[in-house]
Amino acid sequence: MAARNIALVGIGKIALDQHVPAIAASPDWTLAATISRKGAVDGVPAYTDFAAFLAERPDVPVVSLCLPPVPRFAYAETALLQGRHVMLEKPPGATLAEVQELERLAAARGLTLYTTWHSRMAHAVQPARDWLTDKVIRRAHITWREDVRKWHPGQDWVFEPGGMGVFDPGINALSILTHILPQPVHLTGAELEFPANRQTPIAARLAFSGNVTADFDWRQTGPQTWDIEVETDRGVLALRMGGNVLEIDGQPAAGQASIMGEYPALYARMTELVQAGAREVDLAPMVHVADALTLGRRILTDPFDF
Amino acid sequence: MAARNIALVGIGKIALDQHVPAIAASPDWTLAATISRKGAVDGVPAYTDFAAFLAERPDVPVVSLCLPPVPRFAYAETALLQGRHVMLEKPPGATLAEVQELERLAAARGLTLYTTWHSRMAHAVQPARDWLTDKVIRRAHITWREDVRKWHPGQDWVFEPGGMGVFDPGINALSILTHILPQPVHLTGAELEFPANRQTPIAARLAFSGNVTADFDWRQTGPQTWDIEVETDRGVLALRMGGNVLEIDGQPAAGQASIMGEYPALYARMTELVQAGAREVDLAPMVHVADALTLGRRILTDPFDF
C-alpha cells in the first residue's frame, strides 16, 4: 500500500527527536507538511498558518499534533471539522472535557482520533501486561525521578497552568500502570509540592486503592529512575528504564518484547486505526492526574528556576 | 405499589434538612435505617456500623449516601458488592476514577447507581432547558456567590483536600449549566483564590469555550446570588435563585415548571431507575471542577477562619 501523507503540527524538541525520525522510518507515512511558528524540517513544505495549510493541502488526510497541550484543542477541532484524522501527543489536551468533545466530534464524522501514550509502547510493557493478567496484585510502587533541567531545559511552560509540572513525565508512568494492571485503581490521597514561584508541582506522592503508590520527583540529578515494581501472589515484577526492561523476581525476563521503538509503534498503530476507521481515546492516565490535582494536599517548597 | 425500604448513610445537616423530609413525604420510600457515627432519626433504627447494618438488614435494598465525598467510595463499593442499589449525594465522589469504578461495578451486577445533582431538579431548570434547546448560545455567565459561614458553619472539611472549597456550591451551578446548554463546553482557563491557610479555593473565576464564564465566591455576605444568564440568538434567558426562577428577556416566564422540590424529585427519579434496573451516572459537572483545578492559576489570598 502506498504511504499516506501526514502533517506534523508543532516542530519543537519532541517533534524533531521522535516524530520526524519515526515518520521517516515508516513505510506507511510520508511527512508532507509541517505547521509551526518557528520550526521546520529540511525538504518538507513548512507552513506557519494552520488555516492556510488546510486550505492548500487537501492531499494530507492526517495531522499529528505535538505542540503543548494548552493550544492543542483548537488545532484538533479545526482539523476534524476539515475532515482530517488526528493523532495527539500525550497528554491529549489541557482538560478532560475538551478531549471528550473531540471524541464526540470525531465519532460523529467517522474520523480517527488517537490519544497516544508513547510509554505504553516501550519494549517491555506488553510482556509485563501479559505476565500480570492472571496474577493477584498485592502492592505496586512507581518511582519516577528525573531532572527537569535535563529534559525540559528552560521550558517555563511546564510550570505554567496546564503545563502539568512533574505530571508531564509522571503521566507516562500512569499510562503504563493503567495499561498493565488487571484491575483499575483510583486515587485515595496525594501530596503535591509546588515551588513557591510556580503554578504546577515539582514533586508528587500519590496513593491509590489496592496498595498502589507513586513517587514523582523532577529534582533528581545524577542517575534517573523510571521504575514500576509490582508484588503479586506469584512473584515480583519490575519494569525499569521507563518500561524498557522487565524483571521477574529480580531476574531479567524475555517475553514477547516489542522490537519497535515507542514512536514508530505509535505511527504503526495510527495506520491500523485509520485503515479501520476507528478511534482510540483513553483518558485514564489523565483522569488520575486531574484527581491528584483535585484531591491532593498542596505543600509549598523552595522556588525553582532553570 | 408498596413503598421500598431505604437506608440513609451520614446523618448530618444535608440529611436532616433535605433527605429525611423528602423520604418521609414520598409514597415510594420508607426510611428503614440510618447509619451514622453520631446522627439518628426519631423512630428509625440507627446503626453506627455499616457492616452490621448490611448483615442484619437484607430487607433494605437501597442505600442513599449523604456523607462527605472522601469516605463515600468505600460505602458505595461495599453496598454494591452486597447487592444494594446506591444513590449518591453530589459530588458523587472524591475522584472521577472512583465513580467510574462504581459505575462498572454496578453495571456488572445489574444494580442501580444514581449520581444525583439536586440543583438540576430546581423548579425552573427543565423549562430553561426546553427553551434553550433550539437556540444558538452567544454568551452565558454564572454568578454563584454565597456566604460559606452561613451554609457550612464551622465545617472545616470543605477546606481540606477533597472538600472542593467554593466548588461545593459551584458544582451545583455547573450541574445546571451542563444540563441546560444544547452543546457541551470545556474549560479554557481559570483563576482560583486559595486562602493562605487552606487547601481548597474560596473563590474561582472560570472561562469556558463558547463565551461561557463563571464567577464563584464564598465570601458574599448579605443577599446571596445564584444566577445563570444566557444570551441567545432569540432573547436572553435568566435562571435565578439557584434554578428556581426563570426570566426571558427580563420578564417572568412560566414554562412547565416542576412542582416537586429538589430532593423529592431526586427520590422520585431513584424510584424510576430502580424499577427500570437502570443507572444514571453523569460526571460532567465534576469533570469541569477537576479541569479547573488542573488548569487553573492559583492565587493566594487572605487566610480564612470560621
Side-chain angles (χ1 to χ4, degrees):
Chain A
M1 212 185 115
R4 271 191 193 80
N5 283 338
I6 191 168
L8 266 183
V9 185
I11 306 300
K13 180 169 167 56
I14 191 73
L16 296 173
D17 287 355
Q18 300 290 351
H19 291 259
V20 171
I23 292 168
S26 169
D28 302 335
W29 300 105
T30 299
L31 184 57
T34 61
I35 301 93
S36 195
R37 278 179 304 176
K38 294 177 188 169
V41 174
D42 277 353
V44 177
Y47 296 80
T48 53
D49 183 67
F50 194 52
F53 157 75
L54 289 168
E56 293 172 26
R57 298 299 300 273
D59 62 311
V60 183
V62 183
V63 298
S64 177
L65 304 185
C66 30
L67 62 180
V70 169
R72 208 176 291 154
F73 173 82
Y75 287 87
E77 182 187 40
T78 303
L80 291 169
L81 289 171
Q82 294 284 325
R84 316 298 166 102
H85 305 288
V86 173
M87 183 169 165
L88 299 169
E89 242 306 347
K90 56 89 356 188
T95 65
L96 294 164
E98 73 184 47
V99 187
Q100 293 172 335
E101 270 187 55
L102 293 177
E103 185 178 17
R104 284 189 292 264
L105 180 58
R109 293 176 180 248
L111 294 165
T112 291
L113 179 70
Y114 180 21
T115 60
T116 68
W117 299 105
H118 65 80
S119 290
R120 287 185 177 171
M121 298 303 195
H123 296 300
V125 169
Q126 186 61 42
R129 177 181 160 107
D130 293 343
W131 191 84
L132 288 171
T133 187
D134 61 352
K135 307 292 189 300
V136 176
I137 310 302
R138 305 281 193 218
R139 198 187 66 81
H141 184 68
I142 299 171
T143 308
W144 222 255
R145 292 174 155 259
E146 60 175 56
D147 183 355
V148 63
R149 289 189 176 90
K150 176 175 168 63
W151 301 100
H152 291 276
Q155 292 181 29
D156 282 308
W157 67 266
V158 299
F159 287 116
E160 282 298 294
M164 303 192 71
V166 76
F167 289 109
D168 180 86
I171 204 169
N172 294 337
L174 296 174
S175 76
I176 296 176
L177 184 82
T178 50
H179 193 60
I180 65 174
L181 288 188
Q183 299 291 334
V185 294
H186 62 268
L187 193 92
T188 55
E191 286 184 346
L192 311 172
E193 290 187 51
F194 285 77
N197 61 336
R198 298 291 188 170
Q199 285 287 333
T200 61
I202 196 162
R205 292 173 290 280
L206 313 181
F208 295 88
S209 56
N211 293 319
V212 176
T213 49
D215 171 15
F216 298 159
D217 204 311
W218 235 354
R219 297 167 299 195
Q220 177 150 317
T221 54
Q224 310 281 285
T225 311
W226 302 285
D227 285 355
I228 301 177
E229 292 166 320
V230 187
E231 194 180 310
T232 78
D233 58 334
R234 282 174 286 156
V236 176
L237 172 147
L239 257 179
R240 305 200 188 282
M241 303 294 291
N244 283 296
V245 171
L246 179 63
E247 294 173 6
I248 304 294
D249 294 328
Q251 300 300 314
Q256 292 295 314
S258 165
I259 54 167
M260 269 191 176
E262 295 179 16
Y263 283 82
L266 294 180
Y267 280 94
R269 177 68 182 143
M270 187 64 179
T271 301
E272 293 175 353
L273 290 170
V274 171
Q275 280 175 353
R279 279 160 296 288
E280 186 172 305
V281 177
D282 182 358
L283 293 177
M286 203 170 156
V287 163
H288 289 316
V289 173
D291 283 344
L293 289 162
T294 301
L295 188 57
R297 181 173 293 277
R298 292 169 302 107
I299 299 166
L300 287 188
T301 186
D302 296 341
F304 178 88
D305 293 291
F306 281 105
Chain B
M1 215 186 112
R4 272 192 191 79
N5 282 339
I6 191 167
L8 266 184
V9 185
I11 306 300
K13 181 170 167 52
I14 190 74
L16 296 172
D17 287 355
Q18 300 290 350
H19 291 259
V20 171
I23 293 169
S26 170
D28 301 335
W29 300 104
T30 299
L31 183 57
T34 61
I35 301 94
S36 195
R37 278 179 306 175
K38 294 179 187 166
V41 175
D42 277 353
V44 177
Y47 296 80
T48 54
D49 183 67
F50 194 53
F53 157 75
L54 289 167
E56 294 172 26
R57 300 299 300 274
D59 62 311
V60 183
V62 182
V63 298
S64 178
L65 304 185
C66 29
L67 62 179
V70 169
R72 208 176 291 155
F73 174 82
Y75 286 88
E77 183 188 39
T78 304
L80 291 169
L81 289 171
Q82 294 284 326
R84 316 296 166 103
H85 305 289
V86 172
M87 183 167 163
L88 299 168
E89 240 307 347
K90 54 93 347 192
T95 64
L96 293 163
E98 72 184 49
V99 187
Q100 292 172 335
E101 270 187 54
L102 293 176
E103 185 177 18
R104 285 188 292 264
L105 180 58
R109 292 172 181 251
L111 293 166
T112 291
L113 179 69
Y114 180 20
T115 60
T116 68
W117 299 104
H118 65 80
S119 290
R120 286 184 178 173
M121 298 302 194
H123 296 298
V125 169
Q126 186 62 42
R129 178 181 159 107
D130 294 342
W131 190 84
L132 288 171
T133 188
D134 61 351
K135 307 293 189 298
V136 176
I137 310 302
R138 304 281 192 216
R139 196 187 67 81
H141 184 68
I142 299 171
T143 309
W144 221 255
R145 291 174 157 257
E146 60 175 54
D147 182 355
V148 64
R149 290 190 175 89
K150 174 175 169 63
W151 302 100
H152 292 275
Q155 292 180 29
D156 282 309
W157 68 265
V158 299
F159 286 115
E160 282 298 294
M164 302 192 73
V166 76
F167 289 109
D168 179 87
I171 205 169
N172 294 336
L174 296 173
S175 76
I176 296 175
L177 184 81
T178 51
H179 194 60
I180 64 174
L181 288 187
Q183 299 291 334
V185 294
H186 62 268
L187 193 91
T188 55
E191 286 184 345
L192 312 173
E193 289 187 52
F194 285 76
N197 62 336
R198 298 289 187 172
Q199 283 287 334
T200 60
I202 196 163
R205 290 172 292 280
L206 313 181
F208 295 88
S209 56
N211 293 318
V212 176
T213 49
D215 170 15
F216 299 160
D217 204 311
W218 234 353
R219 297 167 299 195
Q220 176 150 317
T221 54
Q224 310 281 285
T225 311
W226 300 286
D227 286 354
I228 301 177
E229 292 166 320
V230 186
E231 193 180 312
T232 78
D233 58 333
R234 282 173 286 155
V236 177
L237 173 147
L239 257 178
R240 305 199 188 282
M241 303 294 291
N244 283 296
V245 171
L246 180 63
E247 294 172 6
I248 305 294
D249 294 328
Q251 299 301 313
Q256 293 293 316
S258 165
I259 54 167
M260 272 191 173
E262 294 179 16
Y263 283 81
L266 295 180
Y267 280 94
R269 177 69 182 143
M270 186 65 178
T271 301
E272 293 175 352
L273 291 169
V274 171
Q275 281 176 353
R279 280 158 296 289
E280 185 172 308
V281 177
D282 182 359
L283 292 178
M286 201 169 157
V287 163
H288 289 315
V289 172
D291 284 343
L293 289 162
T294 302
L295 188 57
R297 182 174 293 277
R298 291 169 304 106
I299 299 166
L300 287 187
T301 186
D302 296 342
F304 178 88
D305 293 291
F306 281 106

